[in-house]
């Protein structure tokens, strides 16, 4: 009986295994999939070769058709890429991608100007919060202005794809979009009369090193110190000790709240929980990996940038870091020195002027960059000034001059030189348009010092 039972068990097991193998379907082949930027409503860059890429089965032949062009590639290591010849502005068109067993159709595609819009909180600042946001939203409907927001993501290795959705500008879509970027795109649409696509990728409170590839930081001895300090912060972080310290701070805060309430005063803010440096959005390279790398090499006209507040305490370092970040992006995109336009942050009570100087020096030293000055529309007590319409407008002027070669004055006066004549110091400026004027009387904000080095307010008037 034992032998028969053992035989029966082995026989049954064999039958079951055969049945399972026979019932297993053949391995399914993955469908051709493009990068997430190639989706319904997308805008492709005009006038340049346009990369189109994605994933497919290794060795699979992928054919892309668009505007009488047909290009083919074979997937290698699961990835494929083709390049369309330069396109003319227009649309809507249809883009198709065909593999061995599937065809994907992308509709409502426009060809025009594509700009990447990035930075920290002043770029992330939403349109409804802007001083003129309500009026802008009421007039936001424009099917030829397209908006794409990159989901927030901080990664330790570069992402290969991005999720998101292109949307036509409307009161609903614009309400969830960057104010500066939207005003910039609106003004470009008016000036260029072609479709405009905006890719918004920003995170508040983040330093420039988070938006720079680690390899770019490692390549420079001075910038490599950023990586070394970060590694040290990770080593020194003790989650148990940090939690205990935070618990103690909460007890102190609890007592302070009770005391404030008893005195009829405003209670103090609660202490923040300790941040693990391994997971913060400020760690070197993390936002480049998660929010910039997956966009490459999508064809763009250029980039606009509004950041610097998080680096204001390291202005001398920013003189090297900011140009390194720009070079990093340009090299990664492989489009040469595409225009990179940025906003010089407004004066604020918690920031020194050296950070604005670092931005000015970047503009003066790095080719094909432009800077929008917003000193007159800032707020010394609010790090997020609400006048965003003129900010976007000034960056759009810089784009028209630098990217589109219009002969217009896109910047306010910039100091060039000084000559002393008797009791006067005569200053010369560039970017003066038809000449300098002093609205409302004498110019303010100038100081002067003699040999003793003691500065005092200066009386300044334009020369006639």
């Amino acid at each position: 009986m034992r032998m028969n039972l053992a035989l029966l068990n082995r026989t049954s097991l064999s039958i079951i295994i055969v049945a399972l193998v026979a019932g297993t379907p053949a391995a399914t082949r993955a469908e051709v999939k493009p990068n997430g930027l190639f989706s319904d409503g997308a805008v492709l860059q005009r006038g340049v070769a346009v990369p189109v890429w994605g994933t497919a089965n290794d060795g699979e032949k992928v054919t892309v058709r668009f505007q009488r062009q047909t290009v083919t590639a074979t997937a290698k290591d699961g990835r494929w890429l083709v390049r369309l010849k330069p396109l003319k502005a227009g649309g809507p068109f249809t883009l198709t991608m065909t593999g061995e067993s599937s065809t994907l159709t992308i509709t409502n595609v426009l060809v025009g100007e594509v700009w990447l819009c990035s930075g920290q909180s002043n770029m992330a600042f939403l349109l409804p919060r802007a001083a003129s946001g309500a009026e802008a939203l009421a007039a936001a409907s424009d099917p030829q202005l397209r908006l794409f927001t990159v989901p927030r993501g901080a990664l330790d290795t570069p992402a290969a794809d991005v999720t998101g959705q292109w949307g036509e500008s409307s009161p609903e879509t614009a309400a969830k979009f960057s104010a500066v970027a939207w005003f910039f795109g609106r003004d470009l649409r008016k000036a260029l009369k072609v479709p405009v696509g905006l890719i918004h990728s920003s995170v508040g409170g983040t330093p420039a090193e988070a938006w720079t590839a680690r390899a770019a930081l490692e390549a420079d001895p001075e910038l490599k110190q950023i990586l070394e300090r970060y590694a040290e912060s990770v080593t020194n972080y003790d989650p148990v000790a940090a939690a205990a310290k935070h618990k103690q701070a909460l007890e102190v805060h609890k007592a302070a709240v009770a005391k404030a309430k008893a005195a009829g005063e405003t209670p103090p803010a609660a202490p923040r929980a300790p941040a693990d440096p391994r997971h913060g959005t400020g760690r070197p390279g993390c936002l480049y990996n998660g929010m910039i790398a997956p966009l490459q090499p999508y064809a763009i006209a250029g980039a606009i940038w509004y950041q610097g507040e998080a680096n204001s305490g390291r202005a001398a370092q920013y003189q090297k870091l900011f140009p390194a970040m720009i070079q990093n992006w340009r090299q990664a995109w492989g489009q040469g020195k595409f225009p990179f336009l940025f906003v010089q942050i407004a004066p604020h009570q918690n920031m020194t002027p050296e950070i604005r100087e670092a931005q000015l020096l970047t503009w003066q030293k790095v080719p094909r960059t432009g800077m929008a000055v917003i000193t007159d529309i800032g707020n010394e007590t609010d790090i997020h000034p609400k006048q965003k319409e003129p900010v976007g407008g000034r960056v759009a002027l810089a784009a028209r001059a630098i990217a589109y070669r219009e002969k217009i004055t896109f910047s306010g006066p910039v100091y060039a030189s000084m000559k002393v004549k008797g009791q006067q110091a005569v200053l010369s400026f560039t970017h003066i348009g038809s000449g300098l004027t002093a609205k409302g009387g004498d110019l303010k904000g100038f100081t002067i010092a003699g040999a003793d080095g003691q500065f005092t307010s200066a009386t300044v008037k334009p020369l006639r």
Side-chain angles (χ1 to χ4, degrees):
M1 285 292 294
R2 290 179 182 174
M3 290 180 62
N4 291 341
L5 180 61
L7 179 60
L8 176 62
N9 287 342
R10 285 196 298 269
T11 305
S12 300
L13 180 61
S14 299
I15 294 172
I16 292 170
I17 291 173
V18 171
L20 286 174
V21 171
T24 301
T28 57
R29 294 182 65 82
E31 293 183 351
V32 170
K33 180 185 176 184
N35 179 277
L37 286 168
F38 299 96
S39 57
D40 292 345
V43 181
L44 304 183
Q45 177 61 39
R46 65 171 174 171
V48 299
V50 175
V52 182
W53 74 97
T55 58
N57 290 293
D58 199 26
E60 184 170 4
K61 183 179 178 181
V62 179
T63 300
V64 175
R65 295 180 175 86
F66 185 75
Q67 279 296 91
R68 299 181 182 177
Q69 292 191 46
T70 300
V71 285
T72 301
T74 300
K76 183 178 180 180
D77 298 326
R79 298 180 61 82
W80 57 270
L81 182 148
V82 301
R83 294 184 187 275
L84 298 170
K85 293 179 180 178
L87 307 165
K88 292 183 179 180
F93 305 118
T94 298
L95 174 69
T96 63
M97 305 173 190
T98 304
E100 295 175 2
S101 59
S102 65
T103 295
L104 177 66
T105 300
I106 298 172
T107 62
N108 193 21
V109 177
L110 300 179
V111 177
E113 294 297 307
V114 181
W115 285 83
L116 172 60
C117 314
S118 188
Q120 59 178 111
S121 55
N122 271 305
M123 182 63 82
F125 192 103
L126 297 179
L127 184 56
R129 296 177 56 201
S132 56
E135 295 86 349
L137 286 172
S141 295
D142 182 354
Q144 296 223 327
L145 176 59
R146 304 287 175 86
L147 314 175
F148 187 102
T149 295
V150 178
R152 177 171 169 166
L155 302 175
D156 291 325
T157 56
D161 201 356
V162 62
T163 59
Q165 182 177 351
W166 285 96
E168 298 180 357
S169 179
S170 69
E172 293 73 29
T173 58
K176 302 174 184 178
F177 204 70
S178 159
V180 168
W182 188 86
F183 283 122
F184 167 80
R186 180 200 66 180
D187 285 7
L188 274 191
R189 280 275 301 122
K190 290 180 180 178
L192 303 178
K193 308 263 187 313
V194 299
V196 171
L198 304 175
I199 303 172
H200 172 223
S201 182
S202 65
V203 178
T206 53
E209 60 263 29
W211 297 96
T212 308
R214 289 182 63 98
L217 300 174
E218 290 171 347
D220 184 278
E222 184 176 342
L223 299 182
K224 191 175 181 180
Q225 296 175 13
I226 296 174
L227 298 174
E228 293 168 353
R229 282 196 297 270
Y230 170 70
E232 184 178 354
S233 71
V234 171
T235 301
N236 294 336
Y237 178 73
D238 183 341
V240 176
K245 185 176 180 180
H246 181 60
K247 183 178 180 180
Q248 183 180 11
L250 288 175
E251 291 297 325
V252 173
H253 174 258
K254 183 178 179 180
V257 169
K259 183 178 179 180
K261 287 183 177 180
E265 300 173 350
T266 303
R272 292 184 177 182
D276 187 336
R278 296 170 299 176
H279 306 301
T281 54
R283 64 190 192 271
C286 69
L287 297 178
Y288 176 87
N289 290 335
M291 300 178 68
I292 299 298
L295 311 179
Q296 300 161 359
Y298 198 81
I300 58 175
I304 68 172
W305 176 257
Y306 193 167
Q307 189 273 344
E309 299 89 344
N311 291 92
S312 62
R314 296 178 281 135
Q317 183 186 72
Y318 199 74
Q319 291 185 26
K320 179 168 285 190
L321 173 60
F322 189 27
M325 190 202 83
I326 295 172
Q327 182 182 16
N328 171 209
W329 287 23
R330 286 174 168 174
Q331 288 180 339
W333 248 273
Q335 282 190 212
K337 296 177 181 178
F338 61 73
F340 193 101
L341 317 174
F342 56 91
V343 181
Q344 185 188 50
I345 59 178
H348 185 263
Q349 60 187 5
N350 293 330
M351 291 185 293
T352 63
E354 283 80 7
I355 189 66
R356 299 197 301 277
E357 180 186 35
Q359 293 174 314
L360 172 64
L361 293 173
T362 298
W363 175 31
Q364 294 174 334
K365 295 178 179 180
V366 181
R368 302 206 77 197
T369 59
M371 184 177 75
V373 177
I374 60 167
T375 302
D376 58 321
I377 51 175
N379 186 327
E380 64 179 12
T381 62
D382 187 353
I383 203 168
H384 302 116
K386 293 179 173 54
Q387 295 287 345
K388 299 302 187 191
E389 185 169 11
V391 179
R394 292 174 191 183
V395 181
L397 282 176
R400 290 169 59 188
I402 297 171
Y404 305 111
R405 305 183 185 279
E406 289 189 44
K407 294 182 179 180
I408 57 174
T409 300
F410 70 91
S411 169
V414 178
Y415 171 78
S417 63
M418 181 191 77
K419 291 182 180 180
V420 177
K421 294 183 178 181
Q423 297 298 310
Q424 292 183 332
V426 180
L427 308 180
S428 295
F429 296 83
T430 58
H431 298 279
I432 61 172
S434 57
L436 296 176
T437 60
K439 294 182 179 179
D442 293 343
L443 296 172
K444 296 178 175 60
F446 288 84
T447 58
I448 191 169
D452 59 1
Q454 299 300 311
F455 281 86
T456 185
S457 296
T459 300
V460 183
K461 297 181 179 179
L463 290 177
R464 302 297 181 187

